[in-house]
Amino acid sequence: MNYQITLQPGQQQFSAHPEDTVLHAAQRVGIDLPYGCRNGLCGMCKARLLSGQIHYRQEAAGLTETERAEHYILCCSAQPRSDLTLSIAPVSPASPFQKRRTPVRVETIQRLNHDVLQVKLKLPDSIRFAFHAGQYIDFILKDGRRRSFSIASAPQDSTHIELHIRHIDGGRFTGEIFDHIKVDDLFRIEGPLGSFYLRDTSARPVILMAGGTGFAPLKSIIEDSLARGIPRLLYLYWGARGLRDLYQHALASDWATRHPQIRYIPVLSEPDPEDHWQGRTGLVHTAVAADFPDLSGYEVYGSGPPAMVYAGRDAFMHNHLPRHQYFSDAFEYAND
Ligand code: FES
């Protein structure tokens, strides 16, 4: 039995099976709701339940007690148990690029540092893979398990996809890939997916905030912007523990040296003595908030751990960033 879900304002409707999450059911019919981690952590998919009953398939840690009392739910984790009416605004029209499932071949593998692999996938000759810079794909293992990875390459190359795969302690999927992937292995992918991409509708300066491999989709956005000659000012803040964790620090520094519209601000939370670090220290979202006390005229794109994305959102709203000018992607830390 399916339930009917109605979104307000706008009265968009779609149906959902009791095993669907609200987010999945919406995405299936091309309705683009805001989301980040898809794991009940970041709170980015929050909506207000105006009527109906839901069940959580996992703990909704991304909600405060006050939000629960005010009937907010997390669309990435809530499954319908009746018809629902929700108050939530879709973030944008659905991506114009058709999601597809396709085989890919591993063309190259390169270790970028102690725990990040760069994997370049080759698409079949007959396929041109179109996507927005910043979107992600699902990587499907032979047994059907899947995991999401941001595309690190720019869409101008429609025959290859670059991924940055970090070894996550205790992560079965990433551990398997990290330890066993070989050149010429065949996999299937599905995509492009997600609503994390640079909005072209304004000329506002942009702050790109990355934590760890959250750098990957921002790399795609920067390379795409350079290829298209977009003149918007781009501030890249990249937060990591030590210098070795900024696994493409030289590349980011080079962008800033060659292109006056790009500023690069690396921020280390625990630099090693041997890093001889003279740059910014602390948490990356704190550095952004300190540098921009008034964010009302900016767009901010945050990509990385849910804690960073969530803390950044709160700090930036406090610095007058309108909610609709904050975009985030936090799925690396979704279920592994
Ligand atoms: S809590 Fe739902 S997307 Fe993060």
Side-chain angles (χ1 to χ4, degrees):
M1 166 180 189
N2 279 2
Y3 296 115
Q4 197 69 12
I5 300 181
T6 306
L7 302 181
Q8 291 188 353
Q11 300 298 327
Q12 280 177 300
Q13 288 196 320
F14 55 98
S15 67
H17 187 268
E19 290 305 307
D20 276 337
T21 63
V22 172
L23 180 64
H24 270 145
Q27 288 178 328
R28 197 168 45 233
V29 296
I31 295 175
D32 206 5
L33 299 181
Y35 68 90
C37 66
R38 296 188 294 160
N39 198 24
L41 292 171
C42 72
M44 299 301 296
C45 62
K46 204 161 43 183
R48 194 163 194 177
L49 181 63
L50 301 179
S51 68
Q53 306 291 326
I54 57 126
H55 165 81
Y56 279 120
R57 65 169 190 174
Q58 64 202 359
E59 199 200 340
L63 287 177
T64 64
E65 283 311 312
T66 310
E67 288 167 339
R68 284 171 212 264
E70 291 175 348
H71 306 292
Y72 280 95
I73 65 164
L74 296 178
C75 293
C76 71
S77 307
Q79 298 170 320
R81 290 295 177 268
S82 72
D83 290 348
L84 305 177
T85 306
L86 300 173
S87 172
I88 189 169
V91 285
S92 67
S95 165
F97 301 125
Q98 190 81 35
K99 179 176 75 175
R100 65 201 309 174
R101 193 178 283 206
T102 171
V104 289
R105 182 176 60 78
V106 176
E107 189 168 270
T108 61
I109 302 170
Q110 191 188 342
R111 246 191 139 100
L112 296 178
N113 72 355
H114 63 292
D115 70 351
V116 178
L117 286 184
Q118 178 196 63
V119 176
K120 286 197 177 158
L121 305 172
K122 171 81 174 69
L123 289 137
D125 289 341
S126 58
I127 289 184
R128 293 287 171 270
F129 191 82
F131 61 97
H132 281 301
Q135 287 191 289
Y136 69 92
I137 54 151
D138 271 357
F139 194 86
I140 306 170
L141 289 185
K142 293 190 176 64
D143 62 7
R145 282 180 299 143
R146 54 172 66 208
R147 197 180 185 291
S148 305
F149 290 99
S150 292
I151 303 171
S153 44
Q156 283 73 23
D157 181 355
S158 60
T159 58
H160 291 83
I161 289 174
E162 175 185 334
L163 306 178
H164 296 169
I165 300 180
R166 187 171 77 88
H167 190 280
I168 295 175
D169 286 340
R172 268 185 62 211
F173 196 123
T174 47
E176 267 176 55
I177 294 179
F178 208 89
D179 294 337
H180 302 299
I181 196 166
K182 301 185 301 302
V183 169
D184 286 338
D185 277 353
L186 297 176
F187 294 95
R188 281 174 302 147
I189 61 165
E190 187 171 270
L193 298 162
S195 53
F196 185 74
Y197 52 85
L198 190 66
R199 301 305 190 263
D200 278 343
T201 48
S202 94
R204 291 186 196 99
V206 173
I207 296 170
L208 304 169
M209 177 180 71
T213 46
F215 173 74
L218 305 185
K219 171 179 177 286
S220 176
I221 286 173
I222 290 173
E223 290 183 340
D224 178 50
S225 298
L226 291 173
R228 292 197 287 143
I230 293 175
R232 290 169 78 177
L233 199 50
L234 299 175
Y235 295 87
L236 170 64
Y237 282 76
W238 189 3
R241 190 167 297 180
L243 188 54
R244 68 177 187 163
D245 301 306
L246 298 174
Y247 56 84
Q248 290 197 311
H249 179 58
L251 174 67
S253 302
D254 189 54
W255 287 329
T257 305
R258 290 155 161 269
H259 305 285
Q261 77 275 31
I262 296 182
R263 315 278 159 84
Y264 172 46
I265 304 96
V267 183
L268 298 184
S269 60
E270 296 172 34
D272 289 324
E274 57 268 29
D275 289 342
H276 304 295
W277 185 245
Q278 304 287 317
R280 302 286 290 272
T281 54
L283 297 176
V284 64
H285 75 275
T286 310
V288 175
D291 291 354
F292 296 91
D294 182 356
L295 283 163
S296 56
Y298 292 80
E299 284 174 18
V300 183
Y301 294 75
S303 173
M308 178 204 79
V309 165
Y310 203 26
R313 184 187 62 173
D314 292 347
F316 306 154
M317 307 282 137
H318 186 259
N319 286 8
H320 315 294
L321 180 72
R323 172 70 187 86
H324 64 273
Q325 287 166 214
Y326 185 56
F327 306 92
S328 72
D329 202 348
F331 61 75
E332 181 194 332
Y333 295 79
N335 286 329
D336 190 312

